[in-house]
Amino acid sequence: MEENGKLQATALSEVAHLKVHGRTTGSLSPLTLFWTGSAVEFNIRGSELWIEAHADYNQHEPWISMMINNVPVSRQMITAGRRWICVFRGMNGNAVKNVRIVRELQAMSDDPGCLLQIHAVKSCGEFLPVADKALKLEFIGDSITSGEGVIGAKPEEDWIPVWFSATVNYTSMTAELLDADYRVISQSGWGVLTSWDNNPSRNIPQYYSQVCGLLGGERNEALGALQINDFDAWQPDAVVINLGTNDGGAFYSPEWNDPLSGKAYKQRLNEDGSFNEHDLEAFEQAAEAFLVKLRYYNPQAQLVWAYGMLGTSMMPAICRAVDRYVSRSGDKRASVFQLPDMTPESTGARSHPGRLAHEQAAQALSSYLKELLQHVVYK
């Protein structure tokens, strides 16, 4: 291969202009991308660009998408180790290219070894400023929001990273339709009160205040995953909560037994198949408490509970929880939005929403958010 002798390597912390997406500690030496959809973005005038990435894992390898001018040009697994990866070469050196390197895989709570870092860039060009967008969105959710099953054929059932996508996803699609910056906090199988298998420790609200608190292991702690997130540095205009699907699934799953205490946990069904009212009330209290927490950390944001892509069994409980929160707090900036349900035609891999389902959700949600946020969108 004929090498470009004009390429110069630069530590990420020394790059004149760049933009980081997603919750991080603020460190660029190196930049650790914890969450799905987290990314580093550049505007570069040059003919060639490389990034130096470091990946590690015990089971689940990270994946990235590389976007040039908002179009995906490469999607690939990052195997363990530290190496240079070419983003583009041979392009018009005088044209400015917008480049985003996006983490496609969710934070992996069951694999504390899973790691993705960006150390440096190598280019022959000039880095230019990357502007912030007028609108900021935060998405909170489960496997749907992590894009599980959006890649792959319908028969695929293996739970592996390749079937996850942050870019073929209603979160990124909604943000694009509204010309917004966005962040994602999501974890497959987790809920508001409990996970799909009745594990009460696997709920998003208890970790919301941390950078990425659901990650375990000494390395993640050393990287700052457990520290309190700097909410003042990035305030969303809207927080979209797409949770409840796994809480509903827990009613139909076997009890979960805590291996340490021996205590059993179960969301129960009545004899007629309806949800036990005491267990449903526990969910509603957890949902209301989460809204209180979200308002504390996001004082000006619209709080939108968007739910329904995999059924609506928890919708009445969600509506009661939101109504109760609004009534008790007097906060009028909280609402419920029903997302379009997945159909046989829009199903993806692992019986999860596919690309069409995510596109339909993004269209509906972006229209709703545009009305709510018109004071920001049209200012």
Side-chain angles (χ1 to χ4, degrees):
M1 182 186 77
E2 182 179 350
E3 294 188 4
N4 185 341
K6 297 181 180 180
L7 293 178
Q8 291 187 344
T10 307
L12 202 64
S13 59
E14 299 299 320
V15 175
H17 302 288
L18 59 80
K19 183 175 179 179
V20 175
H21 299 268
R23 283 191 184 182
T24 70
T25 62
S27 174
L28 295 175
S29 303
L31 169 64
T32 302
L33 299 178
F34 291 107
W35 295 99
T36 186
S38 56
V40 61
E41 181 180 0
F42 310 97
N43 282 334
I44 178 172
R45 180 185 288 116
S47 62
E48 192 166 338
L49 174 66
W50 296 64
I51 59 165
E52 188 183 24
H54 176 209
D56 198 8
Y57 46 90
N58 295 325
Q59 293 179 293
H60 303 298
E61 76 284 346
W63 283 66
I64 63 169
S65 274
M66 295 190 283
M67 316 276 289
I68 299 178
N69 295 328
N70 211 36
V71 174
V73 298
S74 176
R75 183 176 189 271
Q76 63 187 80
M77 172 194 301
I78 309 297
T79 54
R82 183 168 169 174
R83 63 180 56 80
W84 287 99
I85 300 171
C86 186
V87 181
F88 65 82
R89 61 189 299 269
M91 295 190 74
N92 181 347
N94 295 318
V96 177
K97 276 76 67 176
N98 177 265
V99 175
R100 270 188 299 143
I101 312 300
V102 185
R103 176 173 173 137
E104 284 274 81
L105 180 66
Q106 67 173 15
M108 299 302 283
S109 59
D110 286 336
D111 187 355
C114 186
L115 174 73
L116 177 61
Q117 296 177 316
I118 310 296
H119 284 264
V121 296
K122 187 163 56 176
S123 75
C124 60
E126 174 189 10
F127 291 92
L128 304 172
V130 182
D132 288 335
K133 297 183 177 179
L135 197 61
K136 295 182 176 67
L137 306 176
E138 180 175 79
F139 297 88
I140 304 169
D142 47 40
S143 58
I144 300 171
T145 304
S146 290
E148 180 179 340
V150 75
I151 301 291
K154 289 184 181 181
E156 305 293 358
E157 290 296 339
D158 298 312
W159 199 82
I160 54 177
V162 66
W163 309 139
F164 286 78
S165 177
T167 52
V168 186
N169 189 299
Y170 82 92
T171 60
S172 60
M173 294 172 184
T174 300
E176 183 177 355
L177 287 168
L178 293 174
D179 192 31
D181 289 326
Y182 74 104
R183 292 182 173 183
V184 180
I185 310 296
S186 64
Q187 193 68 187
S188 290
W190 289 39
V192 182
L193 177 67
T194 182
S195 61
W196 69 274
D197 59 354
N198 285 288
N199 185 338
S201 67
R202 297 194 167 193
N203 69 79
I204 296 291
Q206 68 176 317
Y207 298 107
Y208 179 75
S209 63
Q210 298 171 295
V211 171
C212 193
L214 52 78
L215 292 179
E218 294 181 358
R219 181 170 63 185
N220 285 312
E221 183 175 2
L223 288 171
L226 307 189
Q227 70 186 39
I228 298 299
N229 181 57
D230 183 0
F231 288 92
D232 291 335
W234 198 91
Q235 275 287 303
D237 298 291
V239 178
V240 177
I241 312 106
N242 186 352
L243 289 171
T245 300
N246 291 301
D247 296 273
F251 284 94
Y252 302 97
S253 297
E255 68 180 26
W256 182 82
N257 292 280
D258 188 332
L260 297 179
S261 68
K263 185 177 179 180
Y265 295 87
K266 178 73 178 82
Q267 295 295 95
R268 297 165 295 176
L269 293 172
N270 297 320
E271 290 185 1
D272 62 0
S274 60
F275 293 153
N276 178 278
E277 61 181 10
H278 298 293
D279 295 338
L280 204 58
E281 173 63 21
F283 166 81
E284 292 174 27
Q285 290 179 6
E288 182 185 0
F290 191 30
L291 290 167
V292 171
K293 177 177 282 192
L294 289 172
R295 175 56 70 219
Y296 175 80
Y297 287 112
N298 308 283
Q300 302 302 320
Q302 289 283 344
L303 306 180
V304 178
W305 206 298
Y307 168 78
M309 293 176 72
L310 282 176
T312 56
S313 63
M314 298 298 287
M315 183 61 86
I318 290 170
C319 289
R320 287 193 296 270
V322 175
D323 287 346
R324 188 185 304 169
Y325 165 76
V326 171
S327 176
R328 290 180 176 178
S329 67
D331 183 358
K332 303 301 183 182
R333 289 169 297 164
S335 59
V336 178
F337 180 74
Q338 184 168 324
L339 294 167
D341 204 354
M342 182 182 75
T343 66
E345 292 73 29
S346 64
T347 301
R350 292 187 46 77
S351 301
H352 274 67
R355 176 190 288 267
L356 178 58
H358 281 263
E359 290 173 347
Q360 292 169 342
Q363 287 287 346
L365 181 59
S366 62
S367 296
Y368 181 73
L369 290 174
K370 190 173 184 178
E371 289 297 319
L372 282 181
L373 301 172
Q374 55 183 320
H375 65 290
V376 179
V377 175
Y378 299 119
K379 72 178 181 180

